[in-house]
Amino acid sequence: MTKKNTLTLSKNAMQEYGYKIVDTIVEHFLTQDEKNPIAIATRQEMDKLFLEEAPEQSSDPLEVLEFVKKNVLAQAGIPSHSKFFSFVPGPSNYISAMSDSLATGFNVFSGGWAASATAAELEIVTINWLLKIFKFPTKKGGGIFTSGGSMANLTALVTARKQLLGDDYSKAVIYISDQTHSSNIKAIRTIGFKKDQVRIIPTDMEFKIYINKLKNAIAKDKLEGLQPFCIIATAGATNTGTVDPLSEISSICKEESMWMHVDAAYGGAGILSKKGAKELRGIEKAHSITIDPHKWFFQPYEMGCLLVRNHKWLSSTFSEKPEYLKDVEGNESEINFYDHGIQLTRRFRALKFYMSIKTYGLSAFREAITYNIELAEELEHSIRKSKNWEIVSPAKLAIINFRYNPIGLGFNESKLNTLNREISKRVMISKKAVLVTTELHGQVVLRMCLINPRTTMKDIDETLDLCIHFANAILGNKNSTA
Ligand SMILES: *Cc1c(COP(=O)(O)O)cnc(C)c1O
C-alpha cells in the first residue's frame, strides 16, 4: 500500500481552526460597516498575490487561514455593507451564515428523501411557508430551492415548456419587457429557443410593460400561425422596483392558455410588508414565481427559489428514473428534490432559511422589509424638497433613482448624464460607498437599492454629501451647498 492520507486534523487543531473562523466572522459582522464596501484591483495585482502552482507540500492550517484573512477576505467587496447601494445588495444575517456552516459541516445531501428525510422535510416545510406568504395553494403547490434567481427562472421555463408544449416548440413565443432581468434571456437561450421566438415589449413611463402592445404582439403572432406560450412578468424590476400589471397579465394568460411566470427575485419579499403586498397584488395568480432569498429575505448566497401552483408540474418535468435510484424511491408524499429540479446532489439550503425564521420570527422580517420600503420613501421625500437633486423614478419596493441636477445649473441632458456618471465614478474610486448609475429612458441616474435593514438615513445623507462634494469638484465650485 502507498502512504494513506485521510485529510483529517486532530481534535485540538480542528477546534482551534474552527474557533478562529467563527471569531473572524463575528468580527466581520461587527465591523463590516466601518470597512470600505468595495474592493478594486487589477488582474495583475491579484495575480501577483495569488498566482502559483498547486503546492505539493502541506502548510500550517493557521498560516493559510491568516493569509486568506489578510489577502482574500479583507480585499473582497462587502454586499452586506450599509453603504452598498447598487445592484441588489446581499444583507445576509448571522444565524443563516452559521446555519450554512452547519449544513456544510455535516455535508447533508439534500437530493433525496432516503439520504436525508429531515433535509427534504425542512425544504417542504419552508417552501410551504413561502407558498402561504405568496398566497399560492399550499396543498397542491410546491417549489424548490435553487442556487439563485437565475436558476429559478431557468427551472421555471423548462417546467412551462414541458407542461404547455410538446417536444416541438419551434413555433412557441415568449413575451418579456425591456425591463425583464437578463437572466431570463439567458435561460431562454439556454433551453434552445431562438432569438425570433422572443418578443421584447416596451414599457411605459413607469417602466411597466405596455399591456396593449403585449396584446397586439400576441394577436399578431397568432395570425402568423405562431404559438404564444409564456409571459414573463416582473415583480420588482431590478432597475426601478416597478411591478408589471400582474392581474391584467394573468387575464391574458388565462384567455390565451399561456403560462404566467413572475420574476420577483429581488422584489418578492416585499409582500411581507403592507405596502409591498399592495404593490404585488396579483402575484398569486401566476403559474410560477421566482424569488431570491439571498436578496431581501436576508439569506447568505446561494439561495434562490421557484414556487409553482402545482408541485406535480415539477415532478412530471424533471423526474428521471435511472436504475441506480430505483431502490431509494419513497412514496408520493416523500419528495425527492432531485425529481423537482435540475440538480441531483444539492446542498442543504433550506436549513438557513428555517433556522433564521425560527430564530428571529417572521415578524422581524416584516419589520425589516417595511423599514426598507419606508426608508426609500423618506429619501424620495427629502430629495423632492432639495434643490440639488431630481427624482427620476420614485421609491418602489425600496429602490429609487435620482440624479444631481441643481436648480440654476441649466445643463442639457447630455451634460447631466456626463456629470452623474462622473459623480458615481468618483464615489466608487473613493471606496466609501457603492453607488453606480443605471440608464432610464436615456437618462443616466444614480440608483439606490435600499434592502439592507442596517442602512440608515445617515448612511444615505453621508453618501449624498459625498456626491455633492465630488460634483462641486467636477464643476470647479468652491462652496458646496448640501
Ligand atoms: C437578481 C435578479 C435575478 C437573478 O438572480 P441571481 O440570484 O443573481 O441569479 C433575476 N431576476 C431579477 C428581477 C433579479 O433582481
Side-chain angles (χ1 to χ4, degrees):
M1 281 248 286
T2 48
K3 202 168 117 197
K4 180 176 157 196
N5 191 323
T6 53
L7 307 182
T8 46
L9 297 175
S10 73
K11 182 174 178 185
N12 279 343
M14 281 199 285
Q15 283 175 327
E16 193 184 355
Y17 194 79
Y19 296 152
K20 273 230 157 71
I21 287 180
V22 169
D23 287 344
T24 304
I25 295 172
V26 170
E27 184 66 18
H28 177 70
F29 267 80
L30 294 176
T31 60
Q32 57 179 340
D33 291 340
E34 297 153 28
K35 301 176 188 173
N36 287 332
I38 185 174
I40 305 169
T42 63
R43 176 67 193 263
Q44 265 172 335
E45 288 164 335
M46 291 290 97
D47 276 357
K48 207 165 151 218
L49 260 175
F50 300 113
L51 197 63
E52 61 175 331
E53 296 292 320
E56 278 300 332
Q57 301 307 318
S58 65
S59 301
D60 178 356
L62 294 179
E63 263 176 35
V64 177
L65 179 58
E66 280 308 311
F67 176 83
V68 164
K69 270 174 68 174
K70 180 163 166 266
N71 296 300
V72 180
L73 298 172
Q75 302 198 59
I78 307 175
S80 47
H81 194 288
S82 59
K83 286 183 180 168
F84 194 109
F85 298 111
S86 294
F87 317 110
V88 179
S92 189
N93 78 86
Y94 186 74
I95 295 286
S96 292
M98 290 298 106
S99 320
D100 242 0
S101 315
L102 281 176
T104 302
F106 280 72
N107 204 23
V108 177
F109 178 91
S110 207
W113 188 273
S116 173
T118 52
E121 179 67 17
L122 287 202
E123 189 153 352
I124 293 169
V125 167
T126 46
I127 291 277
N128 275 343
W129 292 351
L130 286 165
L131 289 169
K132 187 149 180 238
I133 288 170
F134 285 89
K135 301 201 178 76
F136 257 29
T138 42
K139 278 234 165 63
K140 257 180 126 182
I144 187 164
F145 291 125
T146 61
S147 54
S150 303
M151 279 303 288
N153 284 332
L154 175 67
T155 309
L157 281 177
V158 175
T159 307
R161 180 178 64 183
K162 174 79 181 172
Q163 298 307 311
L164 288 194
L165 306 170
D167 286 336
D168 179 13
Y169 47 91
S170 57
K171 288 197 156 43
V173 183
I174 300 174
Y175 302 81
I176 64 177
S177 88
D178 58 24
Q179 294 297 308
T180 301
H181 192 271
S182 57
S183 60
N184 292 289
I185 300 175
K186 263 199 212 175
I188 290 167
R189 195 183 305 145
T190 303
I191 67 175
F193 279 85
K194 299 201 186 78
K195 219 171 163 184
D196 63 11
Q197 291 179 276
V198 182
R199 303 284 172 268
I200 303 175
I201 309 297
T203 50
D204 62 17
M205 287 309 290
E206 291 178 86
F207 305 96
K208 293 181 181 174
I209 193 167
Y210 265 120
I211 287 293
N212 280 341
K213 294 188 181 185
L214 174 63
K215 282 183 177 165
N216 289 344
I218 291 170
K220 182 165 174 277
D221 285 332
K222 282 203 314 194
L223 268 179
E224 289 176 11
L226 299 171
Q227 188 182 7
F229 142 64
C230 173
I231 301 174
I232 302 177
T234 303
T238 319
N239 259 340
T240 57
T242 303
V243 179
D244 280 333
L246 300 176
S247 293
E248 286 170 86
I249 290 173
S250 157
S251 304
I252 298 173
C253 286
K254 271 211 183 93
E255 190 135 312
E256 305 288 346
S257 304
M258 293 170 72
W259 189 278
M260 177 180 178
H261 176 60
V262 178
D263 180 0
Y266 111 81
I271 203 164
L272 283 179
S273 81
K274 280 208 178 79
K275 276 181 184 155
K278 224 170 133 190
E279 291 281 337
L280 292 162
R281 232 183 255 156
I283 197 169
E284 72 283 351
K285 295 175 181 155
H287 291 86
S288 54
I289 307 174
T290 284
I291 50 173
D292 229 352
H294 66 204
K295 287 175 173 169
W296 210 2
F297 279 102
F298 314 114
Q299 302 302 310
Y301 306 137
E302 298 176 345
M303 191 178 200
C305 176
L306 176 68
L307 299 176
V308 289
R309 299 196 80 75
N310 187 337
H311 68 91
K312 292 208 173 106
W313 293 339
L314 291 180
S315 51
S316 65
T317 299
F318 292 103
S319 64
E320 281 296 331
K321 308 273 181 231
E323 55 287 3
Y324 50 83
L325 288 178
K326 285 227 167 89
D327 285 348
V328 295
E329 261 159 45
N331 68 43
E332 279 276 300
S333 58
E334 291 164 353
I335 292 177
N336 295 314
F337 276 93
Y338 58 66
D339 275 341
H340 281 207
I342 296 165
Q343 275 183 281
L344 169 57
T345 302
R346 306 167 66 242
R347 58 181 286 109
F348 188 8
R349 296 192 179 95
L351 185 66
K352 55 187 166 189
F353 198 74
Y354 179 78
M355 286 176 76
S356 56
I357 288 186
K358 284 270 277 190
T359 305
Y360 297 117
L362 210 48
S363 66
F365 286 69
R366 288 186 206 283
E367 278 168 30
I369 290 163
T370 302
Y371 167 78
N372 291 139
I373 289 177
E374 287 174 355
L375 184 65
E377 288 173 350
E378 193 183 329
L379 173 57
E380 178 184 337
H381 191 66
S382 115
I383 284 181
R384 288 205 189 277
K385 286 191 302 192
S386 142
K387 54 189 196 313
N388 286 316
W389 299 98
E390 175 192 10
I391 295 285
V392 178
S393 137
K396 276 260 152 60
L397 292 176
I399 288 182
I400 181 166
N401 289 280
F402 52 91
R403 64 179 177 175
Y404 186 70
N405 185 11
I407 291 171
L409 206 56
F411 276 9
N412 64 20
E413 287 296 316
S414 150
K415 270 202 159 161
L416 282 174
N417 284 355
T418 312
L419 176 60
N420 280 277
R421 202 171 270 134
E422 187 61 26
I423 290 171
S424 153
K425 211 163 130 193
R426 295 209 187 185
V427 170
M428 296 295 279
I429 291 170
S430 81
K431 300 187 187 174
K432 296 288 177 226
V434 177
L435 184 67
V436 303
T437 62
T438 187
E439 265 187 50
L440 299 177
H441 295 144
Q443 297 183 329
V444 172
V445 298
L446 300 167
R447 171 181 166 282
M448 281 190 171
C449 178
L450 296 167
I451 65 164
N452 186 333
R454 293 181 308 280
T455 298
T456 60
M457 209 56 213
K458 182 165 171 280
D459 292 315
I460 295 171
D461 284 338
E462 283 172 5
T463 306
L464 294 187
D465 285 348
L466 192 65
C467 291
I468 291 175
H469 165 78
F470 287 130
N472 283 318
I474 295 159
L475 299 171
N477 294 348
K478 297 241 159 47
N479 303 318
S480 80
T481 50

